[in-house]
Amino acid sequence: MPLVEYYFPQALSPARLDRFLAGGWFRSGASLFRSKVLCLEGGLFSVVNIRVDVEKFKTSRSLRRLLKRNHPRFRLEFGKAEVNDRKEFLYQTHKHRFKGFIFESLEEFLFTGQAHLLFDMHELRIYDGDLLVGVSYFDKGQQAMASIMGLYDQEYARYSLGIYSMLQEVLLAQKEHKRFYYPGYILQGHSGFDYKMRLGHIQYYNWKGRWCDIKKLGEEYTVANELSQALKVMETCLYQYGMSYTRRLYPFFLIAYLGLKDHDFLGSAAYIWCFPDQENEDHLIIEYSLDSNQYILSWASPQHDTLDYSETEFSQNFFNEKNYMKTLLAREDILLKSPSPSAIAQRVRKISNTFLSYL
């Protein structure tokens, strides 16, 4: 499969949602989506989709302590997903914690497009007295449940309402005799999502169509490392040929997989930019294709006009990283495809001796 896949369903039965979830997909608005890698906090990380085996689930000692502590304090209500001013407030105060593409409002996230018709959306409301202090959203399939989002009042952070709401959803899945609960994904090499692992009884998707015990995750190769190693080999070769270069992470790579036809948008999460100090509008770049195991040398041009491709925006401070390319790129001319880094470097040197001498 490619780095990223999108699916925009026109109809979706509960049983069909189960099959998508079992294939490593998760929901964003009215679409389903899966990605092998993500750019986050200046790094490139492999995505690991996880699920809980509900039939085998038992609360651990630490989770029992959490239940015992929170039970006297909070009142819980389950119901169909809906939006009000308080929930919107929680979303607006919480969304700075999200990374990458985000929706401007909770209303857009939950009900954009046909999401309210396609998905059986529910919510868990957490009250302290009459005050709503947390809300989480989840979809129900035929034999599965999938966590979508959790929000909570920042004043209640010490109560671990994020993992608490997920635990309550797992317990609901048990009560309704569901087979699996999908809490989303974690990232290899980044601990920001590891709190989900506290649920226990975790399986992970290995991108070969199989779910495995989380204890075997260390045996898997990582897409992010494979891509980084290939670029490192290319950089070594460029250095030997005396070429100047820099590496860039490219969060916009997701856009290339939306099926837009007007431009050949760059679909690589990381690439090498040759001669970055030259004052030239077009960029000479080197990508590595994991599908064909070859390098691609091309001219790419920045797309400065705003592209209206979705209902989302970027999260706060997402582009603060210095190694991010912050502009959308489109390939203009592919010069060479080759599995040989030396062949690519030779072509780069040839370009440096001809075209760049006139800049």
Side-chain angles (χ1 to χ4, degrees), residues 258-298:
L258 284 170
L260 304 173
K261 304 298 183 182
D262 295 339
H263 298 83
D264 184 15
F265 291 118
L266 199 66
S268 299
Y271 66 90
I272 297 170
W273 180 9
C274 301
F275 316 116
D277 297 328
Q278 295 288 340
E279 295 182 2
N280 184 35
E281 178 69 8
D282 289 342
H283 297 181
L284 185 65
I285 66 170
I286 303 171
E287 306 165 69
Y288 183 75
S289 170
L290 295 170
D291 291 331
S292 62
N293 296 318
Q294 62 181 351
Y295 296 95
I296 304 171
L297 176 67
S298 63

Side-chain angles (χ1 to χ4, degrees), residues 76-318:
L76 307 179
E77 291 181 358
F78 286 97
K80 294 290 289 186
E82 58 184 21
V83 177
N84 59 27
D85 289 345
R86 176 61 179 173
K87 295 170 189 175
E88 191 65 64
F89 170 79
L90 292 178
Y91 179 80
Q92 295 301 326
T93 58
H94 198 92
K95 73 177 184 179
H96 73 278
R97 297 168 57 88
F98 302 141
K99 307 293 184 181
F101 294 102
I102 59 173
F103 286 81
E104 183 177 348
S105 69
L106 180 61
E107 177 78 24
E108 289 182 357
F109 176 83
L110 292 178
F111 300 116
T112 186
Q114 298 296 310
H116 62 295
L117 299 176
L118 293 169
F119 299 94
D120 184 14
M121 290 186 286
H122 294 256
E123 66 181 20
L124 165 62
R125 299 179 292 272
I126 304 174
Y127 290 92
D128 183 5
D130 293 329
L131 179 65
L132 181 70
V133 298
V135 59
S136 63
Y137 295 94
F138 56 95
D139 292 331
K140 288 185 180 181
Q142 183 173 296
Q143 295 293 329
M145 283 174 45
S147 172
I148 303 302
M149 180 194 300
L151 308 169
Y152 59 85
D153 190 319
Q154 309 272 328
E155 296 295 323
Y156 290 78
R158 66 183 182 276
Y159 292 99
S160 303
L161 294 184
I163 190 66
Y164 179 64
S165 63
M166 298 182 92
L167 174 56
Q168 293 294 342
E169 291 168 7
V170 174
L171 295 176
L172 177 65
Q174 268 194 333
K175 183 179 179 181
E176 295 187 356
H177 305 289
K178 302 295 187 186
R179 184 70 179 86
F180 296 107
Y181 173 79
Y182 293 83
Y185 59 84
I186 59 174
L187 299 177
Q188 283 185 288
H190 190 286
S191 62
F193 301 91
D194 285 357
Y195 67 93
K196 301 173 184 178
M197 302 289 286
R198 288 185 60 190
L199 292 171
H201 308 278
I202 299 291
Q203 299 174 344
Y204 73 94
Y205 188 71
N206 69 354
W207 298 112
K208 299 175 184 177
R210 297 187 60 188
W211 288 88
C212 308
D213 190 288
I214 195 65
K215 295 177 183 178
K216 298 181 179 180
L217 180 59
E219 302 171 9
E220 297 283 348
Y221 89 100
T222 71
V223 174
N225 283 345
E226 183 179 355
L227 179 57
S228 295
Q229 286 300 316
L231 293 179
K232 184 176 181 180
V233 170
M234 187 71 250
E235 288 170 335
T236 299
C237 196
L238 289 170
Y239 178 79
Q240 292 172 345
Y241 277 82
M243 301 295 98
S244 63
Y245 60 87
T246 188
R247 190 187 303 192
R248 285 287 183 267
L249 294 182
Y250 182 61
F252 282 117
F253 79 98
L254 298 162
I255 295 172
Y257 300 90
L258 284 170
L260 304 173
K261 304 298 183 182
D262 295 339
H263 298 83
D264 184 15
F265 291 118
L266 199 66
S268 299
Y271 66 90
I272 297 170
W273 180 9
C274 301
F275 316 116
D277 297 328
Q278 295 288 340
E279 295 182 2
N280 184 35
E281 178 69 8
D282 289 342
H283 297 181
L284 185 65
I285 66 170
I286 303 171
E287 306 165 69
Y288 183 75
S289 170
L290 295 170
D291 291 331
S292 62
N293 296 318
Q294 62 181 351
Y295 296 95
I296 304 171
L297 176 67
S298 63
W299 288 107
S301 62
Q303 307 296 298
H304 296 296
D305 295 335
T306 301
L307 178 64
D308 183 16
Y309 67 93
S310 75
E311 300 291 335
T312 60
E313 59 186 27
F314 278 104
S315 58
Q316 184 179 357
N317 300 325
F318 184 68

